[in-house]
Amino acid sequence: ILLKHGFCCELTPRLELNEAREVAIAMVDGLQSPVFLRKVSDLMKGELMGQMGTLEKQQAATRLMIIKQKEVIVPFGFASTDEGYAQAQASLQEYAMDAVIQGAVMHVTQRVYHHAGIDMKELMGHIQGAMPSPVPPGTP
């Protein structure tokens, strides 16, 4: 439903596990490339970035990551567009718990954030602080 109404596209044919791993590994390779990591570092050195908080830096780094991922999904039959990116992500969701895919994506995300100078503990604190408490206030 999200693909159809949010991105005006349909789900692509199901990827087999080995195909999903190839897509994820291509994304990871693109995000680990020295050229990409240099772009992240250069972006974070800007005067404006020095005035931004952790969440804003994370959003800027994530935007760069999405742009790079849009480039690397093309050989796998996905368009280098928002729609193609959404289709690729939806196709990978079926295998989100696969150790190879999950481990590679987590590792590269941490590496990119490290190059961006983002403190992961601080970022997680912001994220956890923004999440509603599972226990309503005043509950014993």
Side-chain angles (χ1 to χ4, degrees):
I1 292 176
L2 178 61
L3 285 177
K4 186 173 185 174
H5 296 288
F7 293 93
C8 299
C9 62
E10 299 293 328
L11 189 61
T12 58
R14 182 180 180 275
L15 293 177
E16 295 297 326
L17 176 59
N18 63 326
E19 295 170 313
R21 285 179 174 174
E22 288 177 19
V23 172
I25 289 168
M27 289 178 169
V28 168
D29 288 348
L31 296 174
Q32 293 187 117
S33 75
V35 172
F36 177 76
L37 292 174
R38 196 170 318 111
K39 282 183 183 180
V40 171
S41 296
D42 290 348
L43 174 68
M44 295 301 157
K45 290 178 186 173
E47 185 178 328
L48 182 61
M49 282 296 167
Q51 299 173 19
M52 291 188 171
T54 300
L55 289 176
E56 290 86 3
K57 289 179 182 178
Q58 183 263 342
Q59 290 170 351
T62 300
R63 274 190 226 106
L64 280 181
M65 292 170 70
I66 291 171
I67 291 167
K68 185 62 175 177
Q69 290 176 25
K70 285 179 183 180
E71 293 173 10
V72 301
I73 60 175
V74 173
F76 299 96
F78 299 101
S80 183
T81 61
D82 291 344
E83 294 81 7
Y85 175 77
Q87 288 174 320
Q89 291 297 320
S91 295
L92 291 174
Q93 283 303 309
E94 181 175 351
Y95 303 107
M97 299 309 292
D98 177 68
V100 173
I101 293 173
Q102 186 180 56
V105 171
M106 287 176 60
H107 172 77
V108 78
T109 301
Q110 290 175 351
R111 186 169 183 195
V112 171
Y113 288 172
H114 175 76
H115 271 269
I118 296 169
D119 182 328
M120 290 298 291
K121 286 183 183 179
E122 183 181 343
L123 177 63
M124 294 310 293
H126 284 296
I127 292 170
Q128 290 172 347
M131 294 178 71
S133 172
V135 179
T139 303

